Amino acid sequence: MKIFRIVINKIKNLRMRQRMLLVYAVGCFLPLILVSIYMFNSERKSLANIQTENENRKLEERKELIESTMDHAIELSERIYFEPQSQKIGITGIGSDNDILVDYRGFDKLSEYIGGYYKNISSICIYVNKGTVDRVDNRYFRLITDTIREKNWYKKTIENDGLPSWSYLTNLGTGRRSIRLTKILYTKQRNMAGIISISIDPALTNDIVSELDGFAVMMLNGSEVVHSNFDITEEEAEYISEASEDKEFTFRGSKCYRAGVSINPRYSQDQYDIISIRSYDDIDDQVMGSARRMVLPMFIAMIVMAIAITILNSWFSRRIMALGKAMHNVTEKKYDDVKRTGIGDAKDEIWDLYNDMNKMVTDMQQLSDAAAAERLQKEQLYSREKEVEFKMLATQINPHFLYNTLENIRMLAAINKEKEIEDISVRLTRLLRSSLEVGNELKTLAWEMDKVDCYLGIQDYRFGDRITSAINFDKKAAENYLIMPFVVQPFVENAYVHAMEEMEEGGRIDITANISDAMYLVIEDNGHGMTEEELQSILTDMNDFENLDRTHIGVVNVNQRIKLRFGEDYGVRISSTYGHGTKVEIRMPLIEA
């Protein structure tokens, strides 16, 4: 631990240039070495996997050919039967509904016929009991002797009771082994007439094993060697059979990998295994050859990298030192010397720091110049605030004075029995009181409709029968739902002022409140309406505060208030047809009181 702390302290006290060289060495050269070692090991495993995959692919191709030939042998064994009365061999027709019957003494003709349809089947032999045929005088028939009855393949065939049995046969003349199928031969009455033996061409399996690289062996049921391309002992065969395919194992002093396929004939519990064994020595030779070829390029790359790191480190150190000198000039307040540091023109992080420092120097210079002006600005600001406060006080109207004045007007009208003036004073007082007292809180629909009714009542005195109006809403339900206040009146006012003020007669305004999935307030008039250009201008201004048309401020205000409070799904929709009127629909969410 003490040595570790000493090393850490040494690293902490290194100069920037020395520390960068250390970082480059640890960050570049050490990973390069580790990666190279890892790549060599990975390449060894990768080559082994590729070799295994190639071997498995070759074996799978050969497996399909062997299985196809075995299926043909099984199919042939199921077609042949024996007629003891006529002493003829029969085979069900291939591609025909008729059976073929041949006297056993002419069986060679039938064999030629079979050879035309079943490739890779080298021989057929039928074993019969004595007396089953008159004489056995050709190579296609043999008597079942006591010696044959003691053979394992014969016993296994009898035990299978009509199912195929697989074994191998050794040709005494050539020494070559061939896979053979044995099966009980029945008459058409399902009586045992003998045993048929069908041998597969030994070249099919022997060539497959001999063509494989490395050690290759074909075994029956994991113990009996059928073919091999090397001299193999029983102990080696058992060891190879039990070895795991996905693990390394040692064979004849070398680490090897194993590839193999299993062949399971139909209707049989027998299993043939073709196993290929390759030594890792071949792969290691390839890896070492590849490594030797890579040493020179890697050595050149390391030299180039070292030169590049040295140049980069020197350049970076010079710029760091220039930045440090500039910062030192700032601390010494030598602002004019900051720009003469040799920082260079590379646009990187050091350049950004240098620019930020220059801006800081400029700000510091400007700050000293602005110190005197700041006091003057504060005094001017204070003076302006006082002036604004004075103007606000001067323009304020006491609401109570206004209410008292309207109340005096109402009392005088009542004394003089001026009912219309009295009613107007009451309605105006209610409107003014509501507009002055209301804040951001929501109001009931009934409250909103009451203020609209006050406004309509005042306008009725002005326009009389020229413009009529109606309010339609559920008064009971209106007490249970809240809406934003003063959203209807601006549109009613627009209808009077802009749509129907010049009408001599027949003007109509309808205000409707519908409560469904949302709150819908509809203001519809039959005024002169708007042109497409006028309507588009209003719709544009509804979402544009930068270029606000003062004639549309009420419409825009209502739309923006709703959207800001309830979201973009709510707001104002306007439709109009020139000469036929205008329809305004206000949509707000349902909010229970």
Side-chain angles (χ1 to χ4, degrees):
M1 291 297 294
K2 185 177 180 180
I3 296 176
F4 179 75
R5 285 195 298 269
I6 293 174
V7 172
I8 295 297
N9 291 330
K10 288 287 186 181
I11 294 174
K12 287 181 179 179
N13 296 326
L14 289 175
R15 303 295 293 175
M16 180 63 71
R17 184 171 184 175
Q18 296 171 335
R19 189 177 299 174
M20 289 178 62
L21 286 173
L22 178 62
V23 169
Y24 289 147
V26 175
C28 295
F29 296 116
L30 182 59
L32 182 62
I33 295 172
L34 295 177
V35 168
S36 300
I37 296 173
Y38 174 78
M39 287 179 61
F40 291 149
N41 291 331
S42 298
E43 185 177 2
R44 181 176 184 267
K45 294 180 180 179
S46 177
L47 285 174
N49 292 334
I50 292 173
Q51 293 282 10
T52 304
E53 290 176 0
N54 291 336
E55 291 292 331
N56 283 328
R57 186 173 63 254
K58 292 178 183 178
L59 293 176
E60 287 292 339
E61 293 173 357
R62 288 158 173 76
K63 172 186 174 180
E64 292 178 2
L65 179 60
I66 295 174
E67 286 182 338
S68 175
T69 303
M70 286 182 165
D71 288 342
H72 289 165
I74 293 173
E75 179 184 355
L76 177 60
S77 70
E78 293 173 345
R79 291 179 180 274
I80 294 178
Y81 60 91
F82 183 69
E83 288 287 356
Q85 293 81 6
S86 61
Q87 293 189 348
K88 290 185 177 182
I89 301 298
I91 181 170
T92 55
I94 302 175
S96 171
D97 295 333
N98 299 322
D99 289 1
I100 300 172
L101 293 174
V102 178
D103 188 282
Y104 71 93
R105 286 165 297 210
F107 191 72
D108 54 345
K109 297 179 180 179
L110 185 61
S111 177
E112 293 174 2
Y113 176 78
I114 292 171
Y117 286 96
Y118 296 97
K119 304 297 183 182
N120 297 322
I121 292 180
S122 60
S123 64
I124 299 174
C125 182
I126 297 176
Y127 293 85
V128 295
N129 292 315
K130 186 175 182 181
T132 302
V133 294
D134 290 343
R135 68 177 184 273
V136 181
D137 58 356
N138 64 56
R139 60 191 177 92
Y140 298 107
F141 285 84
R142 291 183 182 177
L143 288 176
I144 300 176
T145 63
D146 293 338
T147 302
I148 290 177
R149 289 188 179 93
E150 294 298 322
K151 298 288 185 180
N152 289 330
W153 65 265
Y154 180 86
K155 295 178 180 179
K156 187 176 179 181
T157 304
I158 298 300
E159 290 174 359
N160 284 348
D161 192 22
L163 292 177
S165 177
W166 292 92
S167 58
Y168 61 90
L169 177 67
T170 303
N171 189 311
L172 298 178
T174 62
R176 304 182 72 184
R177 291 177 176 176
S178 60
I179 299 173
R180 71 170 174 179
L181 165 71
T182 55
K183 182 175 175 291
I184 295 176
L185 181 65
Y186 289 101
T187 65
K188 277 203 167 183
Q189 291 75 29
R190 299 296 296 174
N191 296 321
M192 177 178 172
I195 292 177
I196 185 170
S197 171
I198 301 175
S199 298
I200 294 176
D201 187 354
L204 176 65
T205 52
N206 188 64
D207 292 349
I208 289 174
V209 173
S210 61
E211 290 172 0
L212 292 174
D213 298 328
F215 300 110
V217 61
M218 182 177 186
M219 292 189 291
L220 172 62
N221 296 326
S223 57
E224 300 181 54
V225 177
V226 180
H227 298 295
S228 66
N229 61 359
F230 67 102
D231 294 330
I232 183 173
T233 64
E234 293 183 2
E235 292 78 7
E236 288 177 332
E238 183 179 359
Y239 176 67
I240 293 172
S241 176
E242 294 176 352
S244 176
E245 186 171 332
D246 57 350
K247 293 183 179 179
E248 294 182 0
F249 69 103
T250 302
F251 184 73
R252 293 191 174 181
S254 300
K255 287 187 176 181
C256 302
Y257 62 92
R258 176 186 185 277
V261 292
S262 297
I263 302 172
N264 300 95
R266 286 189 297 129
Y267 313 123
S268 174
Q269 296 180 351
D270 298 310
Q271 174 177 307
Y272 288 90
D273 295 302
I274 302 178
I275 301 170
S276 173
I277 303 169
R278 293 288 302 277
S279 172
Y280 276 108
D281 293 340
D282 297 337
I283 295 177
D284 290 340
D285 291 341
Q286 296 181 38
V287 173
M288 292 304 299
S290 176
R292 285 191 292 270
R293 290 190 297 271
M294 291 178 64
V295 167
L296 181 60
M298 287 181 62
F299 181 71
I300 295 174
M302 292 177 69
I303 293 177
V304 172
M305 186 180 296
I307 295 173
I309 288 173
T310 302
I311 295 173
L312 178 62
N313 182 53
S314 177
W315 174 75
F316 187 76
S317 297
R318 288 197 304 271
R319 301 187 74 232
I320 288 290
M321 292 175 63
L323 180 62
K325 182 178 179 181
M327 295 181 68
H328 178 73
N329 290 334
V330 171
T331 60
E332 296 293 329
K333 297 183 180 180
K334 298 178 181 178
Y335 300 136
D336 294 335
D337 295 336
V338 171
K339 296 182 179 179
R340 296 191 295 271
T341 57
I343 197 73
D345 57 355
K347 303 299 188 295
D348 55 7
E349 290 80 2
I350 297 178
W351 175 265
D352 293 336
L353 289 172
Y354 179 69
N355 280 340
D356 290 341
M357 186 180 63
N358 275 334
K359 291 179 182 178
M360 181 184 69
V361 170
T362 302
D363 292 341
M364 291 172 64
Q365 290 175 328
Q366 292 175 350
L367 188 62
S368 61
D369 296 337
E374 183 179 1
R375 191 178 302 106
L376 178 61
Q377 290 177 355
K378 288 183 179 180
E379 292 177 356
Q380 291 175 346
L381 180 60
Y382 180 76
S383 176
R384 290 173 186 170
E385 288 178 351
K386 290 300 180 182
E387 183 180 354
V388 170
E389 289 179 3
F390 175 77
K391 290 181 178 180
M392 291 177 63
L393 290 172
T395 56
Q396 280 185 339
I397 299 176
N398 192 326
H400 295 288
F401 171 75
L402 184 59
Y403 297 153
N404 291 336
T405 301
L406 290 172
E407 180 62 20
N408 290 335
I409 294 174
R410 186 192 67 78
M411 290 178 63
L412 288 174
I415 293 172
N416 293 316
K417 297 182 179 180
E418 295 289 343
K419 296 295 184 182
E420 294 180 352
I421 297 175
E422 181 183 2
D423 186 47
I424 291 175
S425 299
V426 172
R427 291 176 180 271
L428 182 57
T429 301
R430 290 167 60 187
L431 281 175
L432 289 174
R433 187 181 300 276
S434 300
S435 63
L436 292 172
E437 292 178 355
V438 72
N440 292 326
E441 69 275 7
L442 302 178
K443 296 293 183 180
T444 63
L445 176 62
W447 185 93
E448 176 76 4
M449 290 305 180
D450 177 66
K451 304 307 171 286
V452 174
D453 182 65
C454 288
Y455 180 80
L456 292 174
I458 294 173
Q459 295 290 16
D460 285 345
Y461 287 108
R462 177 185 176 189
F463 293 99
D465 294 337
R466 288 171 52 198
I467 301 175
T468 59
S469 60
I471 302 177
N472 302 307
F473 66 100
D474 187 338
K475 295 182 179 180
K476 185 177 180 181
E479 297 288 346
N480 299 325
Y481 292 96
L482 299 176
I483 65 171
M484 188 174 287
F486 290 112
V487 294
V488 177
Q489 183 178 328
F491 296 100
V492 175
E493 184 177 348
N494 281 349
Y496 276 105
V497 175
H498 299 292
M500 297 183 297
E501 189 172 27
E502 298 177 359
M503 294 180 66
E504 296 295 334
E505 61 180 3
R508 178 75 179 178
I509 298 177
D510 290 307
I511 298 99
T512 306
N514 294 322
I515 301 173
S516 56
D517 61 320
M519 177 69 69
Y520 295 93
L521 303 176
V522 181
I523 303 98
E524 191 169 7
D525 67 72
N526 62 346
H528 58 69
M530 290 180 284
T531 63
E532 185 66 29
E533 292 77 11
E534 292 172 335
L535 177 60
Q536 190 60 42
S537 176
I538 292 177
L539 296 177
T540 301
D541 289 340
M542 283 170 60
N543 296 290
D544 186 3
F545 278 121
E546 298 298 328
N547 301 302
L548 183 60
D549 186 349
R550 301 300 297 179
T551 59
H552 302 152
I553 190 169
V555 175
V556 173
N557 185 39
V558 172
N559 185 56
Q560 289 296 322
R561 284 169 59 205
I562 294 174
K563 287 185 177 295
L564 287 173
R565 182 150 189 169
F566 301 121
E568 290 295 327
D569 292 338
Y570 303 97
V572 179
R573 296 176 58 186
I574 302 176
S575 58
S576 181
T577 303
Y578 185 71
H580 292 83
T582 301
K583 181 180 179 180
V584 177
E585 182 181 76
I586 305 170
R587 184 173 185 264
M588 287 180 287
L590 287 178
I591 302 175
E592 295 185 359

